[in-house]
């Protein structure tokens, strides 16, 4: 259990030393506080996504849908910062195994908002929201060992 707490808490003795350890020690929260804020932030993300879906059916609801859906995904991503800390989260997001998924996900978040506010293209915003969902799913399963391989195996067997 201590190993799990140290891993979630963002403390791995082999990686951290000097100034980095001091910064993390100065800004750490207790384990229970981290878990509480993770749940709050993740629940807010889910709530925003559900609200976005409901707002889609209102007149002129596409803008609200895109904004709330994007905020929901940002809240969901941010929630894990409470578990492992922001520095470790960023390091893991940009590891070679999930670099492409992270870049596509962040690009889709930005392009969704561009499509709805600057380009005024509702259909394009919906397409980018779908791509957000797919990129977020691919990014999320990158944390589960062998999950991507299993998904690709199922996908290729369905395609043949």
């Amino acid at each position: 259990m201590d190993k799990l707490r140290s891993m979630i808490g963002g403390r791995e003795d082999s990686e951290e030393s000097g100034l980095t350890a001091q910064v993390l020690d100065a800004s750490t929260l207790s384990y229970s506080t981290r878990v509480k804020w993770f749940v709050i932030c993740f629940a807010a993300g889910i709530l925003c996504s559900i609200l976005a879906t409901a707002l889609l059916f209102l007149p002129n609801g596409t803008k609200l849908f895109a904004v709330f859906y994007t905020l929901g995904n940002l809240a969901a991503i941010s929630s894990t910062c409470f578990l492992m800390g922001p520095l470790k989260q960023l390091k893991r997001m940009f590891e070679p195994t999930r670099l492409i998924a992270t870049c596509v996900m962040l690009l889709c978040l930005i392009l969704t908002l561009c499509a709805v506010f600057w380009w005024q293209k509702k259909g394009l915003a919906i397409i980018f929201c779908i791509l957000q969902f797919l990129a977020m799913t691919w990014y999320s399963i990158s944390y589960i060992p062998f999950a991507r391989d299993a998904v690709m195996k199922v996908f290729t067997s369905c395609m043949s």
Side-chain angles (χ1 to χ4, degrees):
M1 188 66 165
D2 289 334
K3 179 67 177 168
L4 178 63
R5 283 187 179 185
S6 68
M7 190 173 83
I8 288 175
R11 296 173 189 235
E12 288 187 21
D13 296 332
S14 62
E15 288 184 16
E16 298 172 6
S17 63
L19 184 60
T20 305
Q22 290 174 357
V23 168
L24 288 176
D25 285 339
S27 63
T28 56
L29 301 170
S30 71
Y31 178 74
S32 62
T33 303
R34 285 177 180 255
V35 171
K36 287 175 192 173
W37 279 105
F38 164 76
V39 170
I40 289 168
C41 202
F42 192 75
I46 291 172
L47 183 65
C48 281
S49 296
I50 292 170
L51 181 62
T53 306
L55 292 172
L56 181 61
F57 301 106
L58 293 176
N60 248 354
T62 309
K63 283 185 181 181
L64 292 172
F65 168 74
V67 169
F68 277 95
Y69 193 77
T70 301
L71 286 176
N73 280 338
L74 286 173
I77 294 168
S78 300
S79 67
T80 54
C81 287
F82 288 105
L83 289 180
M84 65 179 84
L87 293 176
K88 193 169 188 178
Q89 169 74 14
L90 287 173
K91 283 181 186 176
R92 286 193 173 177
M93 283 177 74
F94 292 99
E95 286 177 349
T97 56
R98 57 184 69 91
L99 179 65
I100 293 172
T102 300
C103 291
V104 170
M105 179 185 57
L106 294 175
L107 184 65
C108 286
L109 292 172
I110 292 166
L111 289 176
T112 300
L113 296 175
C114 288
V116 80
F117 288 115
W118 285 281
W119 303 327
Q120 306 282 322
K121 304 286 184 186
K122 294 178 182 180
L124 195 57
I126 300 292
I127 290 170
F128 285 134
C129 284
I130 292 167
L131 291 174
Q132 264 188 60
F133 173 78
L134 295 173
M136 185 74 159
T137 302
W138 192 251
Y139 168 79
S140 297
I141 65 172
S142 73
Y143 284 96
I144 303 168
F146 306 109
R148 284 183 172 181
D149 294 335
V151 169
M152 289 304 294
K153 188 174 184 178
V154 169
F155 183 72
T156 54
S157 67
C158 289
M159 296 302 285
S160 58

